Amino acid sequence: MEAILLVGGQGTRLRPLTISTPKPLLPTAGVAFLAHQLARAHASGVERIVFATSYRAEMFEAAFGDRAYGVDLAYVSEDEPLGTGGAIRNAARALSCGPDDPVLILNGDILSGHDVRAQVKLHEAAAAEVTLHLTEVDDPSRFGCVPTADDGRVTAFLEKTPHPVTNQINAGCYVFRRSAIDAIPEHEVVSVERETFPSLISSGAVVMGYVESGYWLDVGTPEAFVRGSRDLVLGALASPAMPGEPGERLALAGARVAPGAVVRGGTTVGRGAVVEAGATVIGSVLLEDSFVAEGATVRDSVLSRGARVGPGAVLDGVVLGDGAVVGPGNELRCGVRVWPGIKLPPTAVRFSADD
């Protein structure tokens, strides 16, 4: 089976992490986020993947080459953003399958444990044009709302409606019949969510919904990115690409965690990163060459490459860009983002009064 992997977005919600690195290449539980998708795709029977690239397109081939995690890889870039449908159509020129064959479409910012083989099996049994993976959420108003009939056939596709009629949402993994991809207009901006899916449904084409509410996460925000990495380290979602066994922390080669440090809660300590004695790091992502000094506390945060946290500083739900420095005694909370290279002097920012 072949697949198309959509990785063209700029990842603006994850800045400053994505200023220098595309979102799908951000280290997640010790490897690039896409490594987990490639390994899971291979385990699901995918033999070849076409990357639909745009933003920093050259970095994807440099990262993975022509084969990785058991999957052959090809790369197709778009000069101008073409939307989800346009990107799929543009990438399809690198497919080799026939018109009736299934093509798996994956989104480069979704972490999912659903059964892809079962989704493909439903698609083929129903002779569908498209089969969507659907999951159930508490607040469907933030997503594409997708009601289905008793037989699983999709009856409507309502993109981000304030009055959802079901808690089933579009989970971002599709199986297309190859001929349905070829029917998308070439060289045009097309949204599968707003144009392709509603058009197929209204025309009477068979569009199926595969409902499975296992592990699913859109990692498009810093909070979700940290959660995804943490869940992989803790083993809440299994991944063949994990560079170590599940546990309270994942320390990569060259990382140094002092015996007196507390590092747990699914934390990743990247290559060359240092956590000094007396420091506490909970549920966070420390990228390569980052540094946490004695007495500092880091919780639910991301320290990008070379970022440094001084003695006694507190970070809670914070993102530090490449080379950012937080001086001693600072207290950063509530989603604060520090841009690359910024240096905060001692006790420059606090959310509470000094003791």
Side-chain angles (χ1 to χ4, degrees):
M1 183 167 57
E2 290 185 295
I4 293 173
L5 183 52
L6 301 174
V7 291
Q10 295 189 19
T12 54
R13 293 181 297 163
L14 271 170
R15 286 178 180 168
L17 299 176
T18 51
I19 290 175
S20 60
T21 304
K23 174 172 54 178
L25 295 182
L26 288 174
T28 309
V31 294
F33 178 77
L34 284 187
H36 301 291
Q37 288 194 318
L38 295 179
R40 289 188 61 82
H42 173 65
S44 299
V46 175
E47 298 176 342
R48 185 169 181 271
I49 292 180
V50 179
F51 281 49
T53 66
S54 180
Y55 177 64
R56 296 188 176 271
E58 72 286 349
M59 295 184 69
F60 292 94
E61 188 167 6
F64 295 111
D66 58 8
R67 185 172 175 83
Y69 296 95
V71 180
D72 292 328
L73 304 174
Y75 303 86
V76 177
S77 187
E78 54 194 68
D79 297 327
E80 298 292 336
L82 295 172
T84 48
I88 291 169
R89 182 66 179 90
N90 186 55
R93 55 195 167 105
L95 295 174
S96 59
C97 60
D100 292 327
D101 290 331
V103 179
L104 185 68
I105 310 296
L106 301 166
N107 272 279
D109 53 5
I110 299 296
L111 193 59
S112 175
H114 83 283
D115 189 340
V116 172
R117 290 182 185 271
Q119 183 180 355
V120 175
K121 184 177 180 180
L122 172 64
H123 174 82
E124 294 180 327
E129 295 297 300
V130 181
T131 299
L132 316 177
H133 171 216
L134 308 179
T135 191
E136 297 174 329
V137 297
D138 293 333
D139 180 14
S141 64
R142 299 185 297 115
F143 304 94
C145 177
V146 188
T148 53
D150 292 341
D151 62 356
R153 190 161 175 169
V154 174
T155 57
F157 196 99
L158 310 171
E159 181 65 1
K160 294 182 182 177
T161 172
H163 304 292
V165 297
T166 177
N167 66 342
Q168 292 178 174
I169 65 157
N170 170 27
C173 176
Y174 320 127
V175 182
F176 269 77
R177 187 193 297 262
R178 168 64 192 272
S179 58
I181 295 177
D182 292 340
I184 298 172
E186 280 192 279
H187 313 302
E188 294 184 19
V189 177
V190 180
S191 166
V192 291
E193 298 87 358
R194 292 181 171 85
E195 298 171 73
T196 305
F197 296 153
S199 177
L200 284 169
I201 294 165
S202 64
S203 72
V206 177
V207 178
M208 298 297 293
Y210 171 73
V211 183
E212 184 183 334
S213 295
Y215 187 98
W216 180 86
L217 183 66
D218 177 343
V219 298
T221 66
E223 297 82 4
F225 170 72
V226 170
R227 177 185 164 191
S229 182
R230 181 172 62 225
D231 287 349
L232 285 162
V233 172
L234 291 171
L237 175 67
S239 169
M242 273 286 294
E245 294 299 317
E248 284 293 317
R249 74 186 189 203
L250 171 66
L252 301 184
R256 288 187 291 149
V257 178
V262 175
V263 181
R264 56 182 176 82
T267 292
T268 298
V269 186
R271 293 174 179 81
V274 175
V275 182
E276 289 192 330
T280 299
V281 183
I282 309 295
S284 295
V285 180
L286 311 185
L287 300 188
E288 61 187 60
D289 298 324
S290 56
F291 177 85
V292 181
E294 59 180 349
T297 299
V298 178
R299 183 184 298 273
D300 299 337
S301 298
V302 184
L303 276 58
S304 198
R305 299 168 185 85
R308 300 179 66 85
V309 178
V314 175
L315 276 63
D316 191 349
V318 172
V319 176
L320 302 186
D322 292 352
V325 177
V326 176
N330 280 287
E331 181 186 358
L332 308 181
R333 301 182 184 274
C334 306
V336 166
R337 307 182 190 205
V338 181
W339 248 239
I342 297 297
K343 298 182 179 180
L344 295 180
T347 61
V349 178
R350 295 193 60 83
F351 277 70
S352 60
D354 290 334
D355 293 334

